[in-house]
Amino acid sequence: MGTFLFAIFLLIIGYLFYSKFVEKIFGINDKTPTPAYSQTDGLDYVPMSWWKGSLIQLLNIAGLGPIFGAVMGALYGPIAFIWIVIGCIFAGAVHDYFSGMISLRHNGEQYPNIVGRYLGNTVRFFINVVSIILMVLVAAAFIAGPAQLISQLTPLSFIAAIALIFGYFLIAAVLPVNKIIGRIYPIFGGILIFMAIAIGVALLFTDKQIPNLTLTSFHPNELPIWPLLMVTISCGAISGFHSTQSPIIARTLKKESDGRKVFYGAMIAEGIITLIWAAAGMTFFGGTPGLQEALAAGGPSGVVNEISTSLLGTLGGILAILGVIILPITTGDTALRSSRMILAELLDKFLTNMSGKAKVLLVTSLVTVPTLYLATIDYSFLWRYVGWTNQVVATVMLWTGTMYLLKNSKFHWISGIPALFMTSVVCTYIFYAPEGFSLSYQISLRTGLSLTALVLIWYVKQIIVHKRPPSNHVKSKAS
């Protein structure tokens, strides 16, 4: 229990102190009008209070990630606590802050365009494709999961449940941000927080002991920690999906100082939620063997339902159903909204003669067709490919933040070191994972670290280039 409580304490300390350090390096100016005022359009650019923005941001970035991912990550034992704390404070929250604040500085631009500004057009094209694929995969996965549960609990068929959810997705994706998202999502964000706190408190008073980090409990899973843990627990530590969501709220901030509370703060809150569910997974079933059996029998949703109903009774069952149905839906619709916004910026040159509403409807339809098709195939298959693409997007965003800091002569290491770390994670993972090349662990590790070394060389060159004083091309006139 001591390790768990200390981990929560560290996350709170990280927000109170490290977030202010990051904010100071970025450099805020509340006198500069934010896009919510300078670009007001009544659709995406709408001023909202910071607390409402924080709850919406938390719901957008969370979904089932900090619950399902944490339960799966609990198989690695208490070492998961370390990754959540370090990843959240020094990588995930920094990633979220820069993805939101750099977007704000560029009139609420979407993630791919921000990448293009600081990493070049080649990377922008690559990340446009990857981001839209990620958004479509997330939206499809977050339709399929709730639809399966709805079909089990109601007379509706699976296809009818998909149609119902998808209809809501379309409405939420095209309506102004303050109509549905701004009014309902803060309530759902509050439910997510209440659910996690209730589970956390119940864990403290149960007769089961939350495991502490010791030499014997360090890693009970046979699978290698590196890099699998860093992909299994993404939401709650670092997730590239967040960088596609942050511009939604960046377009609503009233002042720049709200960014620390909204972007960094929401990530810390998600980290705490992830810690609670990871602890619940490690504790409730008497260790990793029991958790493995429970996951094999009922999957993550079955595990969450059993933990919730056992610890909280009828209330827990209601919260579990709300969580497993509402949370993915509210993340899926903003994924679809983000893909619409990204594609609109990508096709802007070709849609100049269209009205705003017609453009929104056309672009939304272009991303809905593949989303609807993918929602009908196996959920677990979809989720396997979400993991790696998600962390690739996160890595590119960290490098974007690093280049932003370098070009503005700021302390770039706060983003550069996490970027190198995540580069090694994704490079090793793709060679080792079944959905990748399925090579041996040793070969995957050597290949991943070799590619990371090449990226490090590029990074050092960038540091040298940006520290070099500008050359003087002014020639003296002949006397």
Side-chain angles (χ1 to χ4, degrees):
M1 182 183 295
T3 304
F4 168 66
L5 293 176
F6 187 59
I8 292 179
F9 171 76
L10 288 177
L11 284 180
I12 295 171
I13 292 298
Y15 174 73
L16 293 176
F17 295 98
Y18 195 68
S19 69
K20 293 181 180 178
F21 175 65
V22 172
E23 181 185 61
K24 183 177 180 181
I25 289 173
F26 181 83
I28 60 171
N29 182 3
D30 281 344
K31 294 182 180 180
T32 303
T34 61
Y37 295 107
S38 62
Q39 306 289 323
T40 299
D41 63 357
L43 177 64
D44 296 316
Y45 295 88
V46 180
M48 287 196 299
S49 61
W50 71 265
W51 65 267
K52 186 178 288 188
S54 294
L55 287 171
I56 296 171
Q57 174 75 358
L58 175 62
L59 197 66
N60 287 355
I61 67 177
L64 287 177
I67 300 177
F68 281 13
V71 168
M72 298 295 292
L75 291 171
Y76 291 85
I79 188 66
F81 293 150
I82 295 178
W83 164 236
I84 293 168
V85 170
I86 295 176
C88 186
I89 294 173
F90 299 106
V94 172
H95 166 281
D96 288 16
Y97 183 80
F98 279 102
S99 64
M101 294 303 292
I102 296 175
S103 172
L104 182 144
R105 285 283 171 88
H106 294 293
N107 293 321
E109 272 188 350
Q110 286 296 299
Y111 165 69
N113 277 1
I114 296 171
V115 170
R117 283 181 178 273
Y118 296 98
L119 295 180
N121 288 329
T122 301
V123 182
R124 171 168 34 194
F125 175 79
F126 166 77
I127 214 64
N128 257 310
V129 174
V130 173
S131 296
I132 292 173
I133 290 174
L134 176 60
M135 294 303 95
V136 168
L137 284 172
V138 168
F142 284 0
I143 293 174
Q148 288 175 352
L149 186 58
I150 290 173
S151 65
Q152 293 170 5
L153 298 175
T154 70
L156 290 176
S157 67
F158 176 66
I159 298 300
I162 284 180
L164 179 66
I165 296 170
F166 204 77
Y168 166 75
F169 274 19
L170 288 175
I171 294 171
V174 300
L175 284 179
V177 69
N178 60 335
K179 295 300 182 183
I180 292 181
I181 294 175
R183 291 179 180 178
I184 301 176
Y185 283 25
I187 299 173
F188 291 154
I191 291 174
L192 175 63
I193 293 171
F194 176 78
M195 183 181 181
I197 292 175
I199 293 293
V201 172
L203 275 178
L204 296 178
F205 291 97
T206 185
D207 56 353
K208 297 180 174 68
Q209 291 296 314
I210 301 174
N212 288 316
L213 184 64
T214 63
L215 291 176
T216 55
S217 68
F218 185 76
H219 177 41
N221 196 317
E222 294 180 358
L223 293 172
I225 295 174
W226 177 277
L228 299 186
L229 177 60
M230 290 76 193
V231 177
T232 303
I233 300 182
S234 53
C235 290
I238 178 171
S239 169
F241 176 70
H242 299 186
S243 63
T244 66
Q245 301 301 292
S246 294
I248 295 176
I249 305 302
R251 297 181 177 192
T252 69
L253 293 188
K254 292 183 176 181
K255 54 185 179 180
E256 290 192 353
S257 59
D258 288 344
R260 182 176 69 89
K261 294 174 281 190
V262 171
F263 301 120
Y264 201 104
M267 184 64 213
I268 292 295
E270 186 182 31
I272 294 174
I273 293 169
T274 307
L275 278 175
I276 291 171
W277 280 103
M282 295 175 207
T283 305
F284 188 80
F285 299 96
T288 53
L291 176 59
Q292 284 178 321
E293 292 178 6
L295 286 169
S301 60
V303 168
V304 170
N305 183 60
E306 186 172 350
I307 291 173
S308 300
T309 53
S310 298
L311 292 179
L312 302 177
T314 304
L315 173 63
I318 295 172
L319 289 176
I321 292 173
L322 285 172
V324 175
I325 293 178
I326 293 177
L327 294 179
I329 290 175
T330 54
T331 298
D333 70 353
T334 52
L336 195 62
R337 189 182 190 93
S338 294
S339 63
R340 183 261 294 171
M341 293 162 70
I342 291 172
L343 195 58
E345 287 189 356
L346 184 64
L347 301 178
D348 186 59
K349 296 178 181 178
F350 306 100
L351 304 175
T352 53
N353 295 326
M354 296 185 67
S355 66
K357 291 183 179 179
K359 187 187 299 185
V360 168
L361 290 173
L362 173 63
V363 175
T364 301
S365 66
L366 292 177
V367 294
T368 54
V369 173
T371 302
L372 187 57
Y373 167 73
L374 289 172
T376 62
I377 67 177
D378 182 50
Y379 173 84
S380 60
F381 173 81
L382 289 175
W383 201 246
R384 283 170 54 191
Y385 289 91
V386 169
W388 184 72
T389 54
N390 184 42
Q391 298 304 62
V392 168
V393 169
T395 303
V396 173
M397 182 60 233
L398 284 171
W399 282 121
T400 302
T402 303
M403 290 305 299
Y404 171 86
L405 294 172
L406 266 173
K407 290 184 176 182
N408 287 279
S409 301
K410 297 177 182 289
F411 188 71
H412 53 86
W413 296 105
I414 61 168
S415 182
I417 292 176
L420 279 171
F421 178 86
M422 290 306 299
T423 298
S424 63
V425 167
V426 297
C427 287
T428 304
Y429 183 85
I430 193 60
F431 288 102
Y432 181 67
E435 59 269 29
F437 295 100
S438 296
L439 300 178
S440 71
Y441 183 68
Q442 292 299 325
I443 293 175
S444 301
L445 187 62
R446 290 169 186 166
T447 307
L449 293 178
S450 297
L451 291 174
T452 304
L454 293 177
V455 175
L456 175 59
I457 292 171
W458 168 83
Y459 183 24
V460 172
K461 288 183 177 179
Q462 295 301 313
I463 294 172
I464 294 172
V465 167
H466 287 89
K467 282 189 175 181
R468 186 181 300 155
S471 57
N472 184 7
H473 296 291
V474 180
K475 296 182 180 179
S476 60
K477 295 180 180 181
S479 56

